[in-house]
Amino acid sequence: MIQFLDLKSVNARYKTELLQACERVIDSGWYIMGKELSSFENEFAQYCGTKYCVGVANGLDALTLVLRAWMELGKLKSGDEVIVPANTYIASILAISENGLIPILAEPDANTLNLKPANIEKLVTPKTKAILPVHLYGKICPMDEITAIARKHNLLVLEDCAQAHGSMLAGKKAGAWGDAAGFSFYPGKNLGALGDAGAITTNCDELYSVLTALRNYGSHKKYENDFVGQNSRLDELQAAFLRVKLKHLDEETELRRNIARIYNRDIINNLIEKPFEGESQEHVYHLYVIQTKFRDELQLYLEERGVSTLIHYPIPPNLQKCYQGMFNECKLTEEISCNILSLPISPVMPLDEVEKVCQLVNDFKV
């Protein structure tokens, strides 16, 4: 069976380093908000090209806490609108509604599947206060155009970088374009922890100050609470693991890009639409997503021949039960959700498996 993602093998490559990191944490006697966290925050901020990084419990908290901090700072208020892609994972929407803000769904670009600047511009109203671009599948959005729209309308920009660790545009990495950015280190991400973990990047001093309190019960000083915060701390053990894996991230990205190059070159079935490459050197290929009108048939065909695939995502947010009746129809997003299929891709996928997937996809007929 060709696995979609073999996490055991991904982490086995660094087992010695990970065990040493674990031992270091155990021996320190300090397990929350210690040296491993501060070191990782400094290292990840430097990697992204930002002044600050704030480690939090997971990627959803990263987005939620930024929006909450802006509310504490008076930059947002309940009922304000936030423009967000219609074809994103539900977490991007949950972070908005959790804060009493209104998600406004924007249809994607049909080629890149990322936010289309022209579609953002059409949705701006006097209630619009922020844009939440999602760098879907590992390709950074057209942030130069998006930030220009934000400046024109005096909007905040919160990047969702959950799938885009290290992705770049014009020499600037994901996480350094907006006023702030949220990252997920869920185990299956390009930079994955061995459990839940997340982080926020920003260059803003006052935002950083509020965020470091909000993640820690609203407190900068023990037993003194300035905000109604929560417990969303990136623990020492996960921070130590992430420090190990961050050192290898660029190498793993190149392995992903090499698999994508093979897929791009060798998949030649006319029934299949391959991902839009564009500036492919900046794509980190968290996922390799093809499109076909015969998605369900292709997925079953591959499964019967030992190839595991996934769909990212089968049900758009506007059709989810939890948001029933809240959003208008999103025709393009709904069509995309019926056509997309994610092929296996990971830094430990053997090249003979890559070629087998190509051959099977090419042999697919209806």
Side-chain angles (χ1 to χ4, degrees):
M1 182 74 180
I2 297 177
Q3 296 185 57
F4 183 79
L5 176 61
D6 182 358
L7 279 178
K8 182 177 179 180
S9 294
V10 168
N11 290 314
R13 305 167 77 201
Y14 315 120
K15 184 174 181 178
T16 299
E17 291 178 83
L18 292 169
L19 288 172
Q20 289 171 347
C22 183
E23 186 174 319
R24 192 169 67 239
V25 172
I26 293 170
D27 290 347
S28 75
W30 194 285
Y31 309 120
I32 298 288
M33 304 281 282
K35 291 181 180 178
E36 295 294 340
L37 174 60
S38 60
S39 294
F40 172 72
E41 288 175 331
N42 290 332
E43 290 160 8
F44 194 65
Q46 183 176 7
Y47 178 82
C48 294
T50 59
K51 188 174 182 180
Y52 300 114
C53 168
V54 181
V56 295
N58 54 69
L60 173 57
D61 281 2
L63 298 175
T64 303
L65 287 172
V66 171
L67 295 171
R68 188 166 301 167
W70 281 336
M71 296 182 83
E72 293 286 355
L73 290 166
K75 296 186 177 185
L76 294 174
K77 65 180 185 304
S78 181
D80 284 344
E81 295 177 352
V82 180
I83 297 173
V84 63
N87 62 320
T88 186
Y89 181 57
I90 194 81
S92 310
I93 316 293
L94 291 172
I96 299 169
S97 58
E98 170 69 15
N99 282 291
L101 303 166
I102 308 301
I104 303 298
L105 303 188
E107 291 273 44
D109 183 295
N111 291 320
T112 67
L113 305 187
N114 269 336
L115 262 183
K116 187 174 183 178
N119 290 348
I120 297 173
E121 191 84 56
K122 289 187 293 187
L123 294 171
V124 175
T125 73
K127 291 185 176 181
T128 307
K129 300 301 177 184
I131 307 170
L132 202 161
V134 181
H135 307 314
L136 201 63
Y137 306 148
K139 182 175 177 60
I140 195 168
C141 293
M143 292 304 298
D144 45 359
E145 298 175 66
I146 291 172
T147 53
I149 292 171
R151 287 192 299 269
K152 176 182 174 183
H153 297 283
N154 194 28
L155 307 177
L156 296 162
V157 177
L158 170 56
E159 298 174 73
D160 185 336
C161 301
Q163 300 184 4
H165 313 80
S167 182
M168 295 180 70
L169 176 67
K172 186 186 293 188
K173 284 182 178 167
W177 280 90
D179 298 287
F183 287 84
S184 168
F185 304 125
Y186 180 78
K189 302 299 186 185
N190 289 27
L191 178 59
L194 275 69
D196 268 323
I200 298 157
T201 55
T202 186
N203 291 313
C204 178
D205 296 346
E206 65 174 353
L207 179 62
Y208 172 76
S209 178
V210 175
L211 285 168
T212 53
L214 284 177
R215 72 169 174 188
N216 187 39
Y217 299 99
S219 173
H220 283 124
K221 185 177 180 181
K222 197 168 186 177
Y223 304 128
E224 295 182 14
N225 303 84
D226 301 319
F227 308 99
V228 178
Q230 66 187 66
N231 179 0
S232 182
R233 300 174 300 207
L234 174 57
D235 70 65
E236 286 289 278
L237 190 57
Q238 296 303 335
F241 291 153
L242 287 166
R243 292 184 69 198
V244 170
K245 298 189 72 177
L246 180 59
K247 294 186 296 185
H248 303 283
L249 178 57
D250 288 343
E251 172 195 346
E252 291 198 349
T253 297
E254 283 307 311
L255 293 170
R256 289 176 176 274
R257 286 173 174 158
N258 187 51
I259 292 171
R261 281 191 285 267
I262 295 171
Y263 280 155
N264 288 339
R265 182 193 68 202
D266 292 351
I267 292 177
I268 54 174
N269 190 327
N270 290 333
L271 298 174
I272 307 301
E273 181 182 344
K274 292 177 283 190
F276 179 81
E277 277 197 270
E279 296 167 325
S280 58
Q281 73 279 7
E282 298 171 347
H283 201 314
V284 296
Y285 289 102
H286 171 60
L287 298 168
Y288 187 92
V289 181
I290 61 173
Q291 295 188 65
T292 175
K293 297 292 185 182
F294 308 98
R295 191 271 308 284
D296 293 343
E297 294 90 337
L298 175 59
Q299 185 174 40
L300 178 60
Y301 162 88
L302 290 173
E303 181 183 354
E304 290 174 343
R305 287 155 182 80
V307 177
S308 177
T309 60
L310 293 174
I311 300 168
H312 299 89
Y313 301 97
I315 305 174
N318 66 299
L319 298 181
Q320 294 287 355
K321 183 179 180 180
C322 63
Y323 287 122
Q324 190 171 13
M326 181 170 175
F327 301 117
N328 293 329
E329 185 180 39
C330 299
K331 289 184 178 180
L332 177 57
T333 293
E334 292 168 24
E335 179 184 347
I336 289 168
S337 72
C338 295
N339 296 340
I340 50 176
L341 187 67
S342 301
L343 299 182
I345 187 168
S346 83
V348 296
M349 186 178 181
L351 294 184
D352 63 329
E353 290 189 356
V354 180
E355 291 294 356
K356 181 178 179 181
V357 172
C358 292
Q359 187 60 56
L360 287 172
V361 171
N362 287 336
D363 290 345
F364 173 71
K365 298 179 179 65
V366 292

